[in-house]
Amino acid sequence: MLMERKIREHLEQKAETMECPPAISRRIEQSYSHYLQQKRSGITMKKRLISGIAAAAILIPTAAFAAPALIEILTRTPMTAEQVQVDEVGKATLEKLYRAFPETKSFAIIDASNVQGVQTSITLQDKSGSGKKFTLHTNSRTGTIEHIVLENDGGSEEKPLIASTEQEIKAKVDELLNKMYGSISEYEFAMEQMENAEQKTLMLNYSKKGAKTPFYQVFVQGNTISASLIGGETTPSAAKVEGFFTINGQPDYTADAFFNDEKLLSLLKMSAADLKQELAKGKSVVEIAAAKNISKQQVIDVIATTQVEVQMQGENSGAGSHSKEQMLKAIEPKVLQLIERKNETSSKK
């Protein structure tokens, strides 16, 4: 401990006179974020991705040069449940979980912490005594939930999830990914058993066609599913679709702008392509949402908020003459018109 303290003091002194380029700081933070995800999953195995800290060490020639970023990101600060609910990243993370698994609204926040500017971590547990537990690790820069740990979801000590058939395990994992990230139907899938003598462990990889690394990588051990988003942005935000509706044979670009909304697609639990396909059958967005027990007002709020935020950013965050509330009220009629609209081809039949 004495040596660690001396090293830390030396790095702090060096950090005062050195400036770490922003690009390298971001790479260190990203590497450490991945390291935290793997460390907190609690799974030991022979085949793993390269350690985040090892990757950072390769990138940085001297420890002193990396000191400013490392000193900051190695400090994890505990958070209370109240702090999580008012924290911007924490609140957004909870909203995503609640939309995907509505029953978690009654779960208790039993642990939470953050590494400033890098990652926010939240653990929720069912208060009814089932033991079901979610742990979420969110990238503080992007707001993306990069790692999810689901424990005790339907399994028992007598027959844990890992003792189920591979088909049953895949179905459980598919459900988790579909609800949290959107449709995974377009991904290639592979499963293998890890070389882990301590406890049976399965690794499930979901990859884009031709990709060398998986988009989602999942480990199943005992009654625990540990899923990581490896490939960057989630499917809905990356898959832009045109022609939800047409006007005189041309795409209605307003509808395209409104419906290519990651938050809307997450709320509906479907991809943009899936939404377009349902609209082509003559359904409206309101009808699609109602079938999923989602109210019209929820849909309006999500789309309107996104559009107003985009508009405010374009006005340089406040340069406009109207408040956010006024802008929301002004755009709601247009949103309502679009979500109640049906495909013109279908309506003529």
Side-chain angles (χ1 to χ4, degrees):
M1 295 299 293
L2 178 61
M3 180 59 69
E4 291 178 0
R5 187 173 71 251
K6 288 183 177 180
I7 293 173
R8 184 181 180 89
E9 290 173 353
H10 175 73
L11 290 176
E12 289 174 342
Q13 291 172 1
K14 290 290 184 181
E16 293 178 359
T17 59
M18 302 185 75
E19 182 177 354
C20 185
I24 292 181
S25 293
R26 285 193 295 272
R27 293 178 74 177
I28 297 171
E29 291 169 3
Q30 290 167 0
S31 295
Y32 186 69
S33 178
H34 284 299
Y35 163 75
L36 288 174
Q37 294 169 13
Q38 295 177 357
K39 182 179 178 181
R40 290 173 69 90
S41 69
I43 297 175
T44 57
M45 56 199 61
K46 187 173 181 179
K47 297 179 182 177
R48 302 196 64 127
L49 298 176
I50 186 170
S51 165
I53 286 296
I58 294 171
L59 292 171
I60 308 302
T62 66
F65 191 61
L70 287 174
I71 289 172
E72 177 183 2
I73 67 178
L74 287 171
T75 304
R76 178 167 285 280
T77 306
M79 302 173 70
T80 65
E82 292 73 18
Q83 288 173 324
V84 171
Q85 292 165 349
V86 298
D87 176 74
E88 183 177 348
V89 177
K91 185 178 179 181
T93 300
L94 291 177
E95 289 175 352
K96 290 177 183 178
L97 178 65
Y98 294 159
R99 285 197 299 268
F101 296 90
E103 70 273 17
T104 58
K105 292 180 180 179
S106 64
F107 283 23
I109 298 174
I110 61 172
D111 186 38
S113 60
N114 68 56
V115 176
Q116 186 64 37
V118 180
Q119 187 184 80
T120 296
S121 300
I122 307 170
T123 300
L124 303 91
Q125 187 167 26
D126 186 3
K127 294 186 290 186
S128 68
S130 70
K132 187 174 181 179
K133 184 189 300 184
F134 279 91
T135 299
L136 311 169
H137 304 293
T138 302
N139 185 308
S140 299
R141 287 184 178 276
T142 66
T144 301
I145 299 175
E146 296 180 327
H147 187 61
I148 305 168
V149 180
L150 172 56
E151 302 175 62
N152 304 316
D153 182 25
S156 64
E157 291 185 4
E158 292 76 21
K159 186 183 177 181
L161 174 62
I162 195 66
S164 304
T165 66
E166 291 189 354
Q167 185 176 5
E168 290 171 333
I169 291 173
K170 182 179 184 298
K172 276 286 186 182
V173 174
D174 285 355
E175 179 187 20
L176 176 64
L177 296 179
N178 274 316
K179 287 186 174 182
M180 292 300 300
Y181 295 114
S183 175
I184 58 171
S185 59
E186 298 180 1
Y187 291 94
E188 297 180 341
F189 168 77
M191 179 188 297
E192 65 176 296
Q193 184 168 336
M194 307 304 297
E195 298 174 13
N196 181 16
E198 296 179 2
Q199 191 174 4
K200 181 180 178 181
T201 303
L202 290 177
M203 179 175 70
L204 295 78
N205 285 327
Y206 295 77
S207 305
K208 291 183 177 180
K209 188 174 181 179
K212 294 182 179 179
T213 57
F215 199 92
Y216 303 105
Q217 187 170 69
V218 184
F219 296 103
V220 178
Q221 185 182 85
N223 280 320
T224 299
I225 299 173
S226 178
S228 294
L229 173 62
I230 305 296
E233 292 296 324
T234 56
T235 304
S237 64
K240 302 296 183 183
V241 170
E242 288 188 354
F244 289 99
F245 297 123
T246 58
I247 300 176
N248 298 324
Q250 298 297 318
D252 180 343
Y253 294 110
T254 300
D256 291 350
F258 281 25
F259 295 160
N260 278 303
D261 182 335
E262 181 180 348
K263 293 180 180 178
L264 170 65
L265 298 172
S266 177
L267 177 66
L268 297 176
K269 298 182 179 66
M270 61 198 314
S271 68
D274 292 336
L275 176 58
K276 181 179 178 180
Q277 185 176 12
E278 290 300 302
L279 291 172
K281 296 176 182 178
K283 301 176 183 179
S284 68
V285 174
V286 170
E287 291 172 337
I288 294 169
K292 298 173 177 286
N293 296 317
I294 299 168
S295 71
K296 180 190 297 186
Q297 192 59 51
Q298 284 177 284
V299 176
I300 292 173
D301 290 344
V302 167
I303 297 176
T305 299
T306 296
Q307 293 304 311
V308 167
E309 288 175 350
V310 170
Q311 187 174 341
M312 292 181 73
Q313 289 175 2
E315 294 176 351
N316 198 21
S317 301
S321 58
H322 301 291
S323 68
K324 184 175 182 178
E325 290 72 21
Q326 290 174 319
M327 295 169 71
L328 285 170
K329 187 174 182 180
I331 201 171
E332 280 190 3
K334 179 62 176 178
V335 175
L336 180 61
Q337 180 184 8
L338 284 174
I339 66 176
E340 290 184 333
R341 181 178 170 185
K342 296 186 178 182
N343 185 281
E344 61 179 21
T345 302
S346 299
S347 63
K348 291 178 181 179
K349 292 181 179 180

